[in-house]
Amino acid sequence: MRFIKTNFKDLFIIKHNLYTDDRGYFKETFKKEKLEKLFDKKINFCQQNSVKSKKNVLRGLHFQKDPNGQSKLISVEQGKILDIAVDIRKDSETYGRYFSYILSQENHESLFIPKGFAHGYLTISETVLINYTVDNYYSPKNEMGISYDDKFLKIDWGVDHNRLIISKKDKKYEPFKW
């Protein structure tokens, strides 16, 4: 397992070691001690979520406001997504900017997104299976979001917006507020 820095503080791409043989493969997707050493603080993942989506499904941009802010570890088990993380930490040098990255079953990578980011993704394969782990429990009353087509962020989803499949809830999110 190798951690690759991005231009966003504490947001890392994780390259997993893949061990293959005639049966298939094995990989570690999370090792608590390595993450804690990297951040020099405790990481206490408490909830694992799995999502299946079809092509052109856009989920997000979601976040939990304090005290329920969440760090996320995103991994794709099948398919391919365009993953987006928007820095909403007001004291950050990258506040108001977004990070985009392709996660897929082929690249065997994960994305660690720290608290203080809104998160979303677009399914770019026929189907996708995603696992993500969070370090704080979901709280409906603290759930927030940012509009996927925000005029300030100008996220390039790579697909005509008319082809996107978006939930009613995600369509109602307001623009990014400075």
Side-chain angles (χ1 to χ4, degrees):
M1 182 177 305
R2 196 173 45 129
F3 298 94
I4 300 167
K5 284 186 176 187
T6 67
N7 291 332
F8 293 76
K9 185 179 187 300
D10 294 337
L11 183 115
F12 284 87
I13 298 164
I14 302 170
K15 288 202 164 278
H16 301 288
N17 296 326
L18 197 64
Y19 304 97
T20 61
D21 62 22
D22 57 349
R23 299 169 296 168
Y25 70 82
F26 170 86
K27 68 179 173 183
E28 287 179 344
T29 56
F30 167 67
K31 201 160 198 174
K32 183 178 172 87
E33 64 189 21
K34 286 192 174 197
L35 271 180
E36 288 180 344
K37 184 177 179 182
L38 182 68
F39 296 113
D40 196 29
K41 64 181 176 181
K42 292 286 185 198
I43 302 288
N44 292 311
F45 287 130
C46 60
Q47 184 174 323
Q48 173 80 29
N49 303 304
S50 294
V51 184
K52 180 178 182 180
S53 297
K54 60 185 179 179
K55 189 170 187 167
N56 293 328
V57 167
L58 190 151
R59 295 182 189 259
L61 300 159
H62 307 137
F63 64 96
Q64 295 272 297
K65 67 180 180 179
D66 286 333
N68 293 91
Q70 296 176 322
S71 296
K72 295 180 179 180
L73 179 63
I74 314 292
S75 299
V76 171
E77 295 304 313
Q78 177 186 339
K80 187 185 295 189
I81 63 172
L82 172 65
D83 202 279
I84 302 288
V86 178
D87 192 345
I88 57 174
R89 302 170 296 180
K90 291 189 177 182
D91 61 345
S92 171
E93 291 180 14
T94 52
Y95 175 70
R97 292 180 31 208
Y98 73 90
F99 176 81
S100 65
Y101 197 75
I102 302 274
L103 291 174
S104 72
Q105 70 187 50
E106 287 89 18
N107 67 16
H108 296 282
E109 295 173 336
S110 297
L111 192 59
F112 179 82
I113 303 171
K115 290 177 180 150
F117 279 78
H119 175 252
Y121 65 86
L122 173 69
T123 301
I124 53 180
S125 58
E126 289 305 313
T127 59
V128 71
L129 296 174
I130 298 169
N131 289 318
Y132 68 97
T133 309
V134 294
D135 67 351
N136 208 343
Y137 293 106
Y138 169 74
S139 169
K141 71 178 185 175
N142 290 312
E143 179 181 30
M144 304 292 289
I146 299 170
S147 177
Y148 73 95
D149 62 351
D150 181 84
K151 303 293 186 241
F152 172 77
L153 296 173
K154 297 179 187 165
I155 295 172
D156 180 6
W157 293 99
V159 174
D160 184 296
H161 285 209
N162 294 324
R163 298 180 63 198
L164 297 175
I165 302 166
I166 306 169
S167 73
K168 289 178 185 176
K169 180 176 77 173
D170 285 358
K171 285 181 180 179
K172 292 180 182 177
Y173 285 134
E174 295 188 15
F176 180 73
K177 293 184 177 144
W178 276 86

